[in-house]
Amino acid sequence: MEIEELESIPGVGAKTAERLAELDDPAGALADGDVAQLARAPGISEGRAARIARAAIRHRHGDSDGFLATDRAEELYEAVLGLLKDRAVTEYGRKRLETLYPSASKARIGEVRAFAEDAVEREPTPALLEALTGVEPLEAPREVRVRDRCLATSDAEMYAEAQSAVPELSVELIEDARDVSDLARGYSTVVVLDEAFAGIDLDGDVDVRVRPDAMDDPASIVPERTIAFFAHNRARLRAAVAVNDAATNLGAGIECEPSTTDIGGFDEGMERLEAGLSRLDGDGNVADDDRLRELETAIDDIDAAVSMAENVANDRLRTAIEERDVTIEGADLLSLVERGAGVDSLLERELKSEFAAAIEAARAHLVDALGIDDYEQLARQAFEEEPTFPVEHDDRVIDRLREELIADRDRRATRLKREVADVLGTLREPAEALVEAALELDVELAVSRFARDFDCSFPTFEGDGVAIDGGRSPLLDVEFGAVEPVDYAVDGVSLLSGVNSGGKTSTLDLLGTVVIVAQMGLPVPAESVQLRRFEALHYQAKTQGTLDAGAFESTLREFGDLVDGQGERLVLVDELESITEPGASAVIIAGILEALAEGDSTAVFVSHLAGEILEAAETNAEVTVDGIEAVGLVDGELRVNRSPVKDHLARSTPELIVEKLAEAEGGAFYADLLEKFDSDSN
């Protein structure tokens, strides 16, 4: 995908386009809304990737961002999105869900709906959700630096190429075999890149390999490069394997189709992945080899073992000297002194066998403490047979022993890493696909949990307006199970009347929520919903108090732009009469409703002035009044039928109270008041 094409996506500038262009398949990632892939671009966070993905999806569908036309509409969407995100386990899932938005595009709605129809079939079991807690997008490992081996070449161009291709290793310039021999004293392995050095003969136990083809396969000489990726992401990969196992136990593994060219199929590949990961620790070291552990332990313990071996020998000699009476005749003592002899000569003469036993005990302790049989001969040389007290080790022997143990460890570690790298090297793409599939599964499960938690069903897009059966708002501050279901259908322009606290605003919220969720392509919180595909949602929330002249003018301008616009819109307005005096409000609202009725909008206006508004409207205006009817007052509490009654002006709370008093108390006063309500309604 060309940088110019990337820059055509809204919000993607030149720098971001350059970063996205570094991906293997930016076009595919953008088309799929693949946040994980987009976040692999340098400098692109998951949050930024989600915004880019959403912009790319809109761009692909020719979809503007004007569906949510008011602040209240945005608030409803954010609330719905929050409910979805609350049901995702991973941070990736939460970011990925941000790519879902209400759209006017039939293709986009259908695209998400196809995904959602599969998603709701997923069963979010506790085991599956628990396994997902450890899954995160894979990361590039820290820079690897290997110090136990080096590359060597006599060619300046090859030197520069090797430095660039294999930054993990030191690269050295050489002239002859002597240079190679010098390098071999400082590195456990020297890889010579020049074919001219084939057959080189070096003294000593050194590991020198002539590999002219090393640049063709750097991972073969630096298996740490392959291993670092898997070691760094070890916990995440294992979590993804656990997710796949948990999903498979449900009878449907995660839907992942990685390349299986060289791995013998997906299941076998996952077995090999788990086997390879089990051999590594978090630092990228092979942790399952007994010989390697023995060498590492010996290197770590060598100083302590030598010190203890000295103590063993000296304790034996000290005890032998303390327990033995040594008699030296004067002539013998004079002879020893004249020859300059000291304690060593005395030990050799009088305690020869005890000294030999002490030295043998020191050697045996050192060999046993190191636990490396094939280094026994060298370890024994650390204590000489020349008598001395106190007994001391030979530093040169211990240094040599340490060097050989380290070289042996490094060579073995490299060979083991190469074995593991050979296993894991072919599994990188399948591993990446596995993790991405696990992350996408989290998104599916979030949708499934949303649908299950709120008793959702998929809507039908047909006809005009909105018709809801058994709808329950998930946004109310009560347990969802306690929410009373609402049936309501609106086609054209309607006034919604009803008592205070009867649920008029909640009904508007339900209408807005259902339309937003439906046009996101998701199942809606209702038994069934039928609606048209709207081009925009205008939701005017209740105004707090009477507006001043400037704010009043601004509000009128908004409605002027609304009625002058074109398109199939859903307009929800909550108590617009509060913007000014009741009489003027009724006239203004009537005029707005008349204008909307002449267009192609579906509108619901909540108002306590429904009667006055109808009187102010033209007689031929296609405006209906629906009512949320109060059943009555029980123990001072209002009992309401939450489903609006079509073509019905609902009674107010004061009327209900007067009616109750007229029935309970009798008398002309209450009867007259009630009669006035009846005459006003007529």
Side-chain angles (χ1 to χ4, degrees):
M1 193 172 189
E2 299 294 333
I3 290 180
E4 292 77 10
E5 295 180 79
L6 292 170
E7 289 183 24
S8 68
I9 298 171
V12 175
K15 290 184 178 179
T16 302
E18 289 176 2
R19 292 170 178 172
L20 293 174
E22 295 187 32
L23 297 172
D24 291 337
D25 183 18
L30 290 168
D32 296 337
D34 192 333
V35 174
Q37 283 287 350
L38 295 174
R40 289 182 183 173
I44 303 294
S45 67
E46 287 182 5
R48 174 69 175 142
R51 292 190 293 273
I52 292 171
R54 183 158 62 179
I57 293 168
R58 288 188 185 279
H59 181 67
R60 176 162 53 89
H61 289 289
D63 199 359
S64 73
D65 60 355
F67 181 87
L68 301 169
T70 61
D71 291 343
R72 181 55 185 160
E74 285 277 4
E75 289 172 4
L76 281 185
Y77 164 65
E78 291 295 337
V80 168
L81 184 61
L83 294 175
L84 282 164
K85 291 167 67 174
D86 288 345
R87 283 155 179 77
V89 176
T90 66
E91 182 61 24
Y92 169 87
R94 289 185 279 275
K95 295 300 183 184
R96 176 72 170 83
L97 286 164
E98 291 178 6
T99 66
L100 302 179
Y101 63 90
S103 171
S105 165
K106 181 179 180 181
R108 173 58 181 170
I109 295 171
E111 183 177 79
V112 176
R113 176 158 179 160
F115 156 79
E117 286 175 343
D118 290 335
V120 297
E121 298 301 320
R122 294 286 191 182
E123 184 178 353
T125 64
L128 200 50
L129 299 177
E130 176 63 26
L132 277 167
T133 58
V135 182
E136 296 180 62
L138 301 179
E139 293 181 338
R142 299 180 297 274
E143 183 178 344
V144 176
R145 189 67 183 172
V146 181
R147 305 187 185 281
D148 67 330
R149 74 200 83 114
C150 72
L151 299 176
T153 180
S154 61
D155 184 274
E157 290 186 6
M158 180 64 75
Y159 174 83
E161 180 186 346
Q163 282 188 314
S164 175
V166 194
E168 299 92 341
L169 301 184
S170 293
V171 184
E172 308 289 345
L173 278 171
I174 57 174
E175 293 183 359
D176 51 32
R178 181 180 300 175
D179 291 338
V180 178
S181 183
D182 289 343
L183 288 174
R185 283 194 287 271
Y187 295 95
S188 63
T189 302
V190 178
V191 179
V192 182
L193 302 176
D194 302 9
E195 192 171 2
F197 284 83
I200 186 173
D201 186 16
L202 299 174
D203 295 332
D205 183 18
V206 296
D207 186 5
V208 176
R209 304 180 184 185
V210 180
R211 289 281 309 278
D213 62 339
M215 292 300 93
D216 297 334
D217 183 18
S220 66
I221 55 173
V222 193
E224 290 87 351
R225 177 182 295 183
T226 299
I227 286 177
F229 169 81
F230 287 93
H232 181 73
N233 292 292
R234 181 168 171 264
R236 304 172 188 212
L237 289 165
R238 285 190 140 177
V241 171
V243 170
N244 182 60
D245 291 344
T248 301
N249 289 338
L250 295 175
I254 61 177
E255 294 180 3
C256 176
E257 297 181 0
S259 170
T260 56
T261 305
D262 299 316
I263 64 174
F266 181 67
D267 290 339
E268 181 182 337
M270 292 306 97
E271 291 177 4
R272 293 175 60 192
L273 175 63
E274 179 59 31
L277 293 174
S278 67
R279 299 191 64 187
L280 298 176
D281 63 19
D283 295 325
N285 299 312
V286 178
D288 69 337
D289 185 75
D290 292 339
R291 169 69 176 185
L292 184 60
R293 279 196 294 267
E294 290 172 356
L295 289 167
E296 290 173 339
T297 300
I299 293 167
D300 292 339
D301 295 349
I302 189 170
D303 290 332
V306 169
S307 178
M308 184 58 69
E310 288 178 342
N311 291 338
V312 168
N314 289 322
D315 288 346
R316 289 181 67 109
L317 281 176
R318 189 176 292 108
T319 300
I321 292 171
E322 289 174 349
E323 293 178 351
R324 182 168 178 177
D325 294 330
V326 179
T327 303
I328 303 178
E329 295 181 2
D332 291 336
L333 178 61
L334 181 61
S335 175
L336 288 171
V337 172
E338 288 176 345
R339 294 201 304 270
V343 176
D344 294 349
S345 298
L346 182 61
L347 286 173
E348 184 176 10
R349 172 181 167 179
E350 299 294 332
L351 298 170
K352 184 174 183 179
S353 61
E354 286 82 353
F355 179 80
I359 292 297
E360 181 59 33
R363 290 170 171 173
H365 179 85
L366 178 58
V367 169
D368 183 64
L370 294 179
I372 309 292
D373 293 342
D374 44 339
Y375 284 92
E376 178 178 354
Q377 183 176 353
L378 180 57
R380 292 179 65 85
Q381 295 174 21
F383 294 97
E384 298 179 352
E385 296 180 355
E386 292 295 327
T388 182
F389 186 81
V391 173
E392 295 181 347
H393 68 274
D394 187 334
D395 284 333
R396 293 171 301 174
V397 173
I398 295 302
D399 288 344
R400 180 185 168 196
L401 176 60
R402 192 192 319 273
E403 289 173 1
E404 292 195 13
L405 285 169
I406 289 173
D408 192 355
R409 177 202 65 186
D410 290 344
R411 285 193 291 268
R412 186 171 188 84
T414 301
R415 180 175 63 78
L416 292 170
K417 287 177 181 178
R418 191 175 293 114
E419 290 176 1
V420 176
D422 288 343
V423 172
L424 295 177
T426 58
L427 297 174
R428 175 146 182 172
E429 286 188 18
E432 290 174 345
L434 177 71
V435 171
E436 289 179 13
L439 292 169
E440 288 298 319
L441 178 61
D442 184 37
V443 181
E444 294 182 45
L445 290 175
V447 172
S448 178
R449 296 171 75 186
F450 178 87
R452 293 164 188 257
D453 289 349
F454 301 120
D455 295 335
C456 294
S457 63
F458 282 98
T460 301
F461 286 91
E462 62 181 24
D464 294 321
V466 185
I468 301 173
D469 288 331
R472 289 189 289 168
S473 173
L475 306 181
L476 297 176
D477 292 331
V478 296
E479 289 292 330
F480 183 72
V483 177
E484 296 180 33
V486 171
D487 300 332
Y488 188 40
V490 57
D491 177 10
V493 177
S494 295
L495 280 165
L496 183 58
S497 62
V499 295
N500 291 331
S501 302
K504 298 185 297 297
T505 299
S506 297
T507 300
L508 286 191
D509 285 350
L510 177 63
L511 284 166
T513 299
V514 163
V515 170
I516 286 171
V517 175
Q519 297 202 207
M520 290 173 75
L522 301 176
V524 296
E527 292 178 9
S528 68
V529 169
Q530 181 177 309
L531 74 161
R532 75 190 305 177
R533 182 164 46 84
F534 294 102
E535 295 179 11
L537 169 62
H538 296 259
Y539 189 160
Q540 185 72 39
K542 186 185 301 184
T543 302
Q544 299 299 319
T546 302
L547 302 180
D548 60 30
F552 177 71
E553 179 181 349
S554 177
T555 300
L556 283 185
R557 286 183 180 277
E558 290 180 21
F559 280 99
D561 294 338
L562 175 61
V563 297
D564 288 340
Q566 301 295 322
E568 302 172 348
R569 299 158 300 179
L570 176 62
V571 181
L572 305 175
V573 181
D574 195 3
E575 295 189 19
L576 186 61
E577 60 263 26
S578 61
I579 65 173
T580 187
E581 296 83 0
S585 294
V587 172
I588 292 169
I589 295 171
I592 295 172
L593 290 173
E594 289 169 359
L596 289 174
E598 293 175 359
D600 201 19
S601 294
T602 299
V604 179
F605 277 55
V606 165
S607 179
H608 290 289
L609 304 176
E612 292 87 340
I613 294 169
L614 283 180
E615 288 181 5
E618 295 181 5
T619 56
N620 61 346
E622 296 182 2
V623 179
T624 61
V625 177
D626 303 328
I628 296 179
E629 182 69 14
V631 177
L633 291 168
V634 179
D635 297 329
E637 292 187 5
L638 193 66
R639 296 296 174 89
V640 177
N641 178 7
R642 302 292 179 179
S643 296
V645 179
K646 299 298 296 180
D647 299 316
H648 175 73
L649 180 61
R651 292 179 296 172
S652 65
T653 303
E655 181 180 357
L656 288 172
I657 295 173
V658 171
E659 181 182 63
K660 180 179 180 181
L661 290 172
E663 292 176 354
E665 304 293 336
F669 174 68
Y670 298 118
D672 291 344
L673 286 179
L674 187 60
E675 185 177 344
K676 289 184 178 294
F677 277 110
D678 292 338
S679 63
D680 286 344
S681 64
N682 295 327

